[in-house]
């Protein structure tokens, strides 16, 4: 790959071309890893407090340049500015605030219980930085889903190489600039720009940890490569999140929440509300309310608009295929238009679409759509609702709506999902005190919470003895020890 190769950037909401971004040459990858290792060797020796001082500088730079950052995000993704600030910028600032309050305690050595049979000893756990962390981030929330794992890895004492999505390279350049303005040590944070070839070279460069957010297909390939070198990894993958609405729910609130959960960021959210299941007795009433909420939404690029454009043109083909198959099998559109009527000549805008008369075997119900399309189906019992919700290869997030909190909690406990929300949608991911991650094909591992910083460390278990005794009972010689140990165990563990 030549150093002169570049990526042409288009604003997906206007299809106007922006600046070109130079790709990182493949031959430069090893130099990046060498520089990263040297930087991490110094960085890990700093105290957590010293590391946080640098991270606070990132926060200050972001606050000083917030409008500029939001403009870049909006231009690169096609999302409206309200979503750029609330779903990309704000979570990063929240993450920094969380680290400021918790990182020192989370990374401090912690004492754990020592059995009485180990009398005279103490046990503790300490956390040691892994080294170089490779973060591969997606295009749907390019700032948040890059910066949050990066900041956690840095606070834990690692260096970071970021590979941002080639679909949103302007945000990648923006992140690179943020850390430069925050005066981070040379080589501690590096950004490699490019597509699949660059990603493959980075994965093959033997990082000490990989944090990937993206599709299931790519996640499997990364895990396969990582397994060859036993490189630990966190995989944050796709979802097909169910929403269960019971007859006793606040239907007005549920309709508003479902509309936002289905169409925010033009539906390009791994936790998007893609499957809505409504109790039969209120199905028609809820559907009318959801329809009314949806037709009010404004789509465009103005600061007061509600829904922006799609970001990645290739995703439109996926949505078309799923919708056309569903319509051919009898599904009907309550809002939106047929794919053949979409006008994408001036921007990648797909109208928010509600689909009914669907069944569980349709691709539209089983496969991740990742666009402004939601299915609505009725159910007749709590048991059926749980079965329908669990009938998926995914398990990222789920939403249950009911005024009967005891029932809602009972249903949540039976859903096979990594996260859940009651009488709301998605927002579990926004609480940095809650660990976040999926089950089944939605991923491996967790981040956020204490786990979100500790995952970037080796967890080292230590057993300490003062060394004052001459011997231990289990040491040699064994002569005459058997009856004593046997009697001791019977006395110790007899209930």
């Amino acid at each position: 790959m030549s150093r002169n190769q570049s990526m042409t950037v288009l604003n997906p909401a206007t299809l106007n071309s922006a600046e070109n971004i130079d790709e990182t040459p493949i031959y430069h990858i090893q130099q990046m890893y060498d520089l990263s290792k040297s930087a991490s060797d110094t960085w890990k020796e700093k105290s957590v407090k010293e590391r946080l001082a640098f991270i606070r500088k990132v926060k200050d730079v972001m606050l000083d340049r917030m409008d500029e950052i939001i403009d870049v995000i909006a231009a690169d993704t096609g999302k409206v500015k309200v979503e750029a600030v609330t779903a990309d910028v704000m979570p990063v600032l929240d993450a920094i605030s969380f680290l400021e309050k918790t990182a020192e305690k989370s990374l401090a050595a912690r004492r754990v219980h020592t059995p009485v049979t180990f009398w005279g000893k103490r046990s503790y756990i300490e956390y040691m930085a892994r080294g170089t962390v490779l973060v591969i981030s997606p295009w749907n929330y390019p700032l948040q889903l890059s910066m949050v794992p990066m900041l956690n890895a840095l606070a834990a004492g690692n260096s970071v190489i970021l590979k941002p999505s080639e679909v949103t390279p302007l945000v990648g350049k923006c992140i690179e600039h943020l850390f430069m303005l925050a005066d981070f040590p040379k080589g501690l944070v590096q950004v490699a720009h490019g597509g699949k070839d660059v990603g493959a070279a980075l994965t093959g460069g033997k990082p000490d940890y990989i944090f990937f957010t993206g599709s299931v297909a790519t996640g499997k390939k990364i895990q396969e490569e990582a397994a060859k070198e036993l490189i630990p990894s966190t995989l944050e993958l796709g979802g097909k999140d169910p929403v269960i609405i019971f007859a006793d729910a606040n239907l007005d609130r549920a309709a508003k929440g479902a509309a936002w959960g289905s169409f925010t960021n033009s539906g390009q959210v791994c936790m998007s509300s893609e499957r809505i299941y409504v109790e039969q007795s209120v199905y028609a009433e809820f559907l009318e309310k959801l329809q009314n909420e949806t037709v009010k939404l404004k789509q465009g690029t103005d600061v007061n608009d509600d829904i922006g454009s799609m970001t990645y043109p290739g995703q439109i083909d996926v949505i078309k295929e799923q919708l056309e198959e569903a319509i051919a099998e009898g599904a009907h559109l309550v809002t939106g238009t047929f794919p053949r009527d979409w006008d994408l000549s001036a921007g990648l805008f797909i109208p928010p679409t509600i689909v009914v008369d669907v069944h569980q075997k349709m691709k539209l119900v089983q496969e991740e759509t990742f666009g402004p399309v939601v299915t609505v189906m009725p159910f007749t019992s709590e048991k059926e609702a749980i079965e329908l919700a669990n009938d998926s290869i995914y398990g990222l997030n789920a939403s249950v709506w009911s005024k009967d909190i005891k029932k809602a909690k009972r249903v949540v406990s039976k859903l096979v999902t990594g996260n859940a929300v009651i009488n709301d949608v998605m927002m579990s991911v926004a609480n940095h005190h809650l660990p976040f991650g999926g089950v089944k094909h939605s991923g491996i591992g967790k981040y956020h919470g204490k786990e979100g910083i500790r995952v970037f460390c080796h967890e080292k278990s230590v057993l300490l003895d003062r060394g004052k005794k001459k011997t231990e009972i289990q040491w040699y010689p064994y002569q005459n020890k058997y009856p004593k140990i046997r009697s001791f165990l019977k006395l110790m563990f007899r209930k």
Side-chain angles (χ1 to χ4, degrees):
M1 182 178 289
S2 165
R3 192 178 285 272
N4 295 324
Q5 283 188 296
S6 62
M7 300 174 286
T8 301
V9 184
L10 291 179
N11 183 324
T14 63
L15 299 184
N16 294 328
S17 104
E19 64 182 279
N20 291 339
I21 302 293
D22 289 335
E23 294 189 9
T24 300
I26 297 297
Y27 64 77
H28 188 57
I29 299 297
Q30 187 55 54
Q31 298 173 33
M32 295 180 74
Y33 273 109
D34 292 343
L35 186 58
S36 186
K37 184 182 185 309
S38 176
S40 70
D41 287 344
T42 302
W43 181 253
K44 69 183 180 183
E45 297 303 322
K46 293 184 180 294
S47 68
V48 177
K49 188 174 183 179
E50 289 174 315
R51 297 173 208 152
L52 288 174
F54 280 90
I55 290 173
R56 286 190 192 96
K57 291 183 183 179
V58 175
K59 179 180 67 175
D60 292 339
V61 171
M62 288 184 65
L63 291 171
D64 291 342
R65 296 175 173 259
M66 186 178 295
D67 291 335
E68 177 185 329
I69 295 167
I70 291 167
D71 286 343
V72 171
I73 295 169
D76 219 12
T77 63
K79 67 178 68 179
V80 294
K81 287 188 175 182
V82 170
E83 291 180 349
V85 67
T86 59
D88 257 305
V89 174
M90 189 166 69
V92 176
L93 296 174
D94 276 343
I96 294 174
S97 177
F98 177 80
L99 289 172
E100 288 175 328
K101 295 172 183 175
T102 65
E104 287 187 89
K105 185 176 180 180
S106 295
L107 295 171
R110 59 189 178 98
R111 188 170 178 176
V112 296
H113 178 72
T114 304
V116 69
T117 49
F118 286 8
W119 182 80
K121 305 181 192 300
R122 288 196 294 120
S123 305
Y124 64 93
I125 297 169
E126 64 179 23
Y127 297 92
M128 181 176 67
R130 293 182 182 274
T132 296
V133 173
L134 171 62
V135 175
I136 304 176
S137 61
W139 45 262
N140 59 329
Y141 292 99
L143 186 80
Q144 178 203 158
L145 297 179
S146 297
M147 291 287 282
V148 173
M150 290 174 73
L151 292 166
N152 276 272
L154 289 164
N158 303 280
S159 57
V160 174
I161 296 176
L162 169 68
K163 194 282 183 189
S165 173
E166 67 275 20
V167 178
T168 50
L170 295 180
V171 177
K173 291 294 290 186
C174 176
I175 292 170
E176 193 172 18
H177 192 53
L178 288 176
F179 283 99
M180 183 192 74
L181 292 174
D183 296 321
F184 268 62
K186 181 180 179 182
L188 189 65
V189 176
Q190 299 176 82
V191 181
H193 300 278
K196 294 180 180 178
D197 290 344
V198 172
L202 287 165
T203 304
K206 300 181 181 179
D208 298 296
Y209 198 87
I210 299 174
F211 191 102
F212 171 77
T213 307
S215 71
V216 174
T218 304
K220 287 180 177 180
K221 291 177 183 177
I222 288 173
Q223 188 180 32
E224 183 178 353
E225 288 303 308
K228 294 176 182 177
E229 298 293 335
L230 294 179
I231 299 171
S233 59
T234 295
L235 304 177
E236 293 294 332
L237 308 178
K240 191 74 179 176
D241 288 4
V243 176
I244 299 174
I245 299 172
F246 287 100
D248 65 348
N250 180 338
L251 295 185
D252 290 327
R253 175 178 170 81
K256 286 181 177 291
W260 182 78
S262 301
F263 305 129
T264 184
N265 199 32
S266 204
Q268 300 166 118
V269 191
C270 54
M271 296 169 296
S272 182
S273 304
E274 295 198 3
R275 300 180 289 147
I276 301 178
Y277 300 104
V278 187
E279 193 161 4
Q280 181 73 66
S281 61
V282 295
Y283 175 79
E285 181 183 358
F286 171 81
L287 187 59
E288 182 180 2
K289 290 179 182 294
L290 179 61
Q291 180 182 8
N292 290 338
E293 291 295 332
T294 302
V295 297
K296 291 188 295 187
L297 299 174
K298 298 177 182 179
Q299 199 164 17
T301 59
D302 187 78
V303 70
N304 293 316
D305 287 331
D306 301 302
I307 304 178
S309 74
M310 296 291 291
T311 300
Y312 177 46
Q315 192 61 32
I316 295 174
D317 295 331
V318 174
I319 300 169
K320 277 184 178 180
E321 180 190 355
Q322 292 182 9
L323 264 178
E324 288 171 349
E325 181 211 61
I327 292 166
E329 293 185 20
H332 294 91
L333 306 186
V334 175
T335 64
T337 58
F338 294 108
R340 64 174 178 267
D341 297 324
W342 294 345
D343 181 9
L344 306 174
S345 59
L348 305 181
F349 291 94
I350 295 177
T353 305
I354 302 170
V355 188
V356 297
D357 299 326
V358 297
H359 59 75
Q360 282 292 110
K361 293 185 179 179
M362 289 179 175
K363 287 183 178 179
L364 190 62
V365 179
Q366 288 296 325
E367 297 181 4
E368 187 173 36
T369 302
F370 222 66
V373 179
V374 63
T375 62
V376 186
M377 294 174 61
F379 67 85
T380 57
S381 68
E382 181 179 315
K383 181 175 182 292
E384 183 189 15
I386 293 167
E387 289 175 349
L388 290 169
N390 284 337
D391 181 21
S392 173
I393 63 171
Y394 297 102
L396 188 56
N397 209 341
S399 173
V400 178
W401 296 74
S402 173
K403 292 176 183 175
D404 184 345
I405 301 302
K406 184 177 180 180
K407 176 173 68 175
K409 291 171 72 174
R410 180 175 67 241
V411 171
V412 161
S413 69
K414 295 179 180 179
L415 297 179
V416 185
T417 180
N419 316 275
V421 186
I422 295 174
N423 292 322
D424 203 338
V425 289
M426 288 197 221
M427 295 306 293
S428 55
V429 71
N431 182 355
H432 286 271
H433 293 268
L434 284 172
F436 180 81
V439 298
K440 297 193 280 190
H441 281 210
S442 287
I444 297 173
K446 296 272 189 178
Y447 76 125
H448 291 182
K450 292 180 180 179
E451 294 87 346
I453 188 168
R454 289 174 178 170
V455 73
F456 295 108
C457 298
H458 296 291
E459 192 173 61
K460 187 185 301 179
S461 302
V462 181
L463 184 69
L464 180 150
D465 189 283
R466 296 291 181 184
K468 295 180 179 180
K469 292 184 292 183
K470 291 183 178 180
T471 188
E472 298 285 340
I473 191 171
Q474 73 274 16
W475 291 358
Y476 299 125
Y478 289 160
Q479 185 178 6
N480 299 324
K481 283 187 176 179
Y482 173 74
K484 295 178 182 178
I485 296 174
R486 182 175 176 277
S487 298
F488 174 74
L489 293 179
K490 284 194 170 190
L491 177 66
M492 187 70 200
F493 296 105
R494 178 80 69 185
K495 290 185 178 179

